[in-house]
Amino acid sequence: GASTYIEIRGCYIYEAKDVCTGGRGYGVFIGNHATNCLVEDNIFRRLRHSMIAYAGANRNVFGFNFSGERHAEDRPFGSCSDMSEWEADLLFHGRFPYANLTEGNRVDFINGAVVHGINGHYNTIFRNKIVSNSTIASEGGIRIDAYGTFDELCQYFNIYGKKNFKVYNNNN
């Protein structure tokens, strides 16, 4: 079942032991239809993804968090990739998370990825401080990826801010 009314506030979450691909190295992961959760005033460091909304997560707030030093690394035998274009501080990860708010966060990179399918309506990116204005994850910025043709986009994000981001649409 889905979780509801969970609050994560004032935590220092850092240095995940495993920051490879495959669902590892995350800070806070809100998914599986979790609703009305608050992630506020936290510090995230050296994680693959600091904050994730996924799989029907709805009406959650990621507010006034600090995220820095995103981190993914190679293992000795090459089973883990370096920082890829998907390694965002704040990630909308598909399978229709909707109506989530990100406000006042300080991050390097926000991504509306379509790796696991589309993101839903009314996800709002509002007054976040993005310290880079690139659309390449290793450099930072905001990137909203398209899913199929423009008419099939279904990536309905509300993005508000002033001169601190770029939006990139990548038609697959």
Side-chain angles (χ1 to χ4, degrees), residues 44-144:
F44 299 93
R45 287 187 52 243
R46 296 189 58 77
L47 303 166
R48 187 166 150 241
H49 302 297
S50 296
M51 297 163 274
I52 296 177
Y54 173 71
N58 64 91
R59 297 190 317 251
N60 301 292
V61 175
F62 296 95
F64 307 99
N65 298 289
F66 172 90
S67 177
E69 301 175 64
R70 285 174 296 122
H71 186 61
E73 63 185 20
D74 277 333
R75 289 193 172 166
F77 303 105
S79 61
C80 181
S81 63
D82 280 329
M83 187 73 74
S84 78
E85 63 180 287
W86 309 108
E87 311 302 343
D89 297 285
L90 206 157
L91 176 63
F92 294 91
H93 208 22
R95 293 196 179 153
F96 218 78
Y98 63 95
N100 297 289
L101 170 65
T102 67
E103 179 180 1
N105 299 290
R106 185 274 185 208
V107 297
D108 293 322
F109 184 52
I110 297 174
N111 192 1
V114 293
V115 174
H116 296 292
I118 61 175
N119 293 292
H121 296 74
Y122 310 115
N123 289 308
T124 301
I125 300 169
F126 183 65
R127 292 190 318 194
N128 294 280
K129 175 65 176 172
I130 298 162
V131 295
S132 172
N133 68 353
S134 175
T135 59
I136 301 168
S138 60
E139 298 172 10
I142 292 179
R143 176 174 168 160
I144 306 300

Side-chain angles (χ1 to χ4, degrees), residues 20-40:
C20 291
T21 59
R24 296 176 284 216
Y26 296 171
V28 173
F29 178 96
I30 298 179
N32 302 320
H33 306 283
T35 186
N36 297 314
C37 298
L38 175 64
V39 179
E40 182 179 56

